[in-house]
């Protein structure tokens, strides 16, 4: 048993970003930084939920990860599967206790999100496209979660729409990237059922929809700090163009990583845009 596996299995890089997106959702909803105590609670509920989700995901993905991701903590033997199950329950439980301290709606939404993550890992992931939509939905409600904490939706809806669309695209690209391991495990993902070319078309459709959605906040007066979103759109466009031109797994891997960078830059653009709303675009 490796102690560092307890951090590694959380995939903290994703969950720190998710937690910050939760706070960002509150910020764009009320047009200013939320009360610090509320910001900390939102961050922790999202971070713990995302961490619990990644942990239970690795618990159920043990067999497929032995092929696709053999260096992850469970397939490499750094943590026992049963320990991962108990650890995920602990993370979810702490998250729910903190969600209750925000407000009752926040507790209910966290309960739904946490349940969806378990359901995804246990049953929904093998369902073609449904699994992709569930993951994208969870990333989409993350900014909405922050808005629920401050009891105002505001611009958070635009952030949620873009988060949903870009993650649908990225999840399909990740399925194209993992097609060999998924085939060996008998998974029924879109690229396996439709073929890589058609799946690439759908991934590109959602990438183009993401670009269109990124202009909506301009219409409602987001600040001049949002301008770097043009770099985000260029990155998303390149990822879509590359996978349309060549839908093979290694190209899909590069495109999905481009979308990950685009997501990070988009979060910073939304943040800068919400903090410069006095000077509208
Ligand atoms: C215009 C544009 C691109 C807007 C982006 C909007 C936005 C705020 C997106 C953030 C969404 C979010 C909550 C991201 C959290 C981190 C994340 C990528 C979660 C999804 O993870 C599932 C994925 O399958 C994990 O794979 P990997 O990253 O390879 O470990
Ligand atoms: C709104 C609240 C309270 C929480 C949201 C928490 C967030 C941001 C969830 C985003 C989606 C996410 C990271 C879920 C965790 C589990 C998951 C879907 C991991 C992806 O697993 P796979 O689809 O198996 O892909 P890999 O394991 O190959 O990365
Ligand atoms: Mg997995």
């Amino acid at each position: 048993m490796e102690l560092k596996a307890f951090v590694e299995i959380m995939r903290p890089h994703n969950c720190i970003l998710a937690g910050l997106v939760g706070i960002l959702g509150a910020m764009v909803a009320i047009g200013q930084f939320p009360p610090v105590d509320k910001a900390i609670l939102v961050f922790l509920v999202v971070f713990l939920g995302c961490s619990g989700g990644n942990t239970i995901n690795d618990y159920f993905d043990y067999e497929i990860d032995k092929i696709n991701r053999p260096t992850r903590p469970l397939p490499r033997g750094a943590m026992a599967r049963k320990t991962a199950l108990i650890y995920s329950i602990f993370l979810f439980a702490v998250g729910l206790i903190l969600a209750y301290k925000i407000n009752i709606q926040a507790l209910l939404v966290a309960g739904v999100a946490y349940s969806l993550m378990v359901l995804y890992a246990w049953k929904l992931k093998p369902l073609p496209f449904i699994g992709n939509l569930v993951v994208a939905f969870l990333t989409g409600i993350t900014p909405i979660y922050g808005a629920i904490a401050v009891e105002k939706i505001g611009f958070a809806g635009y952030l949620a729409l873009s988060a949903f669309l870009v993650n649908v695209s990225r999840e399909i690209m990740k399925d194209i990237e993992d097609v060999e391991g998924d085939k060996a495990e008998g998974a029924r993902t879109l690229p396996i059922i439709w073929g890589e070319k058609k799946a690439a078309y759908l991934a590109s459709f959602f990438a183009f929809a993401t670009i269109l959605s990124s202009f909506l906040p301009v219409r409602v007066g987001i600040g001049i700090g949002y301008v770097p979103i043009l770099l985000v759109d260029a990155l998303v466009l390149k990822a879509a163009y590359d996978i349309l031109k060549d839908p093979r797994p290694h190209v899909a891997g590069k495109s999905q990583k481009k979308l990950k960078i685009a997501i990070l830059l988009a979060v910073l653009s939304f943040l800068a845009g919400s903090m410069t709303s006095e000077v509208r675009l």
Side-chain angles (χ1 to χ4, degrees):
M1 169 95 73
E2 298 168 24
L3 271 183
K4 71 171 185 178
F6 283 90
V7 176
E8 193 181 337
I9 199 166
M10 289 170 140
R11 282 184 250 176
H13 55 291
N14 263 356
C15 299
I16 290 168
L17 175 60
L20 294 176
V21 170
I23 297 175
L24 180 61
M27 273 187 75
V28 299
I30 58 175
Q32 62 186 38
F33 197 83
V36 174
D37 60 334
K38 198 150 274 188
I40 292 169
L41 283 171
V42 165
F43 178 89
L44 288 175
V45 172
V46 172
F47 177 83
L48 289 165
C50 177
S51 302
N54 282 317
T55 304
I56 195 72
N57 182 275
D58 284 5
Y59 171 80
F60 283 107
D61 277 357
Y62 179 68
E63 293 304 329
I64 206 165
D65 282 349
K66 279 198 281 192
I67 300 168
N68 275 343
R69 306 276 192 281
T71 58
R72 278 192 178 161
L74 298 190
R76 78 165 190 268
M79 182 190 282
R81 283 192 76 207
K82 190 165 181 221
T83 308
L85 179 62
I86 296 165
Y87 186 42
S88 68
I89 294 167
F90 168 75
L91 292 168
F92 284 134
V94 176
L96 287 174
I97 293 166
L98 295 178
Y100 176 68
K101 291 171 71 67
I102 297 177
N103 60 45
I104 196 64
Q105 297 91 327
L107 174 64
L108 293 175
V109 171
V112 169
Y114 289 10
S115 307
L116 259 181
M117 276 184 267
V118 175
L119 209 54
Y120 169 81
W122 178 35
K123 289 289 182 194
L124 302 179
K125 182 178 173 180
L127 300 179
F129 197 41
I130 303 292
N132 302 135
L133 291 177
V134 168
V135 174
F137 172 77
L138 284 164
T139 56
I141 62 167
T142 301
I144 298 290
Y145 192 78
I148 286 169
V150 294
E151 297 173 15
K152 183 179 179 208
I153 298 298
F155 289 177
Y158 295 110
L159 195 51
L161 177 63
S162 297
F164 172 78
L165 294 169
V166 72
N167 277 286
V168 175
S169 181
R170 182 167 185 259
E171 288 302 306
I172 297 170
M173 290 180 186
K174 287 181 70 200
D175 283 344
I176 297 172
E177 180 185 21
D178 288 346
V179 71
E180 293 314 319
D182 289 344
K183 265 181 191 163
E185 273 298 308
R188 288 168 40 79
T189 61
L190 268 184
I192 289 171
I193 292 173
W194 281 11
E196 290 152 41
K197 187 77 182 165
K198 271 189 177 177
Y201 281 137
L202 191 62
S204 301
F205 167 79
F206 279 97
F208 295 133
T210 301
I211 294 169
L212 292 178
S213 76
S214 71
F215 288 96
L216 291 175
V218 179
R219 290 189 53 214
V220 290
I222 197 163
I224 193 154
Y226 190 59
V227 167
I229 200 70
L230 294 173
L231 180 62
V232 171
D233 291 340
L235 210 47
V236 173
L237 191 61
K238 180 73 169 81
Y241 172 79
D242 288 347
I243 201 169
L244 274 177
K245 202 170 73 174
D246 181 356
R248 284 178 296 174
H250 73 282
V251 176
K254 287 180 184 163
S255 284
Q256 71 90 347
K257 289 183 178 68
K258 284 188 179 75
L259 291 192
K260 189 88 174 271
I261 296 166
I263 286 170
L264 196 56
L265 290 176
V267 169
L268 297 174
S269 304
F270 270 98
L271 182 64
S274 70
M275 290 169 72
T276 54
S277 52
E278 314 76 52
V279 183
R280 297 195 164 190
L281 263 180

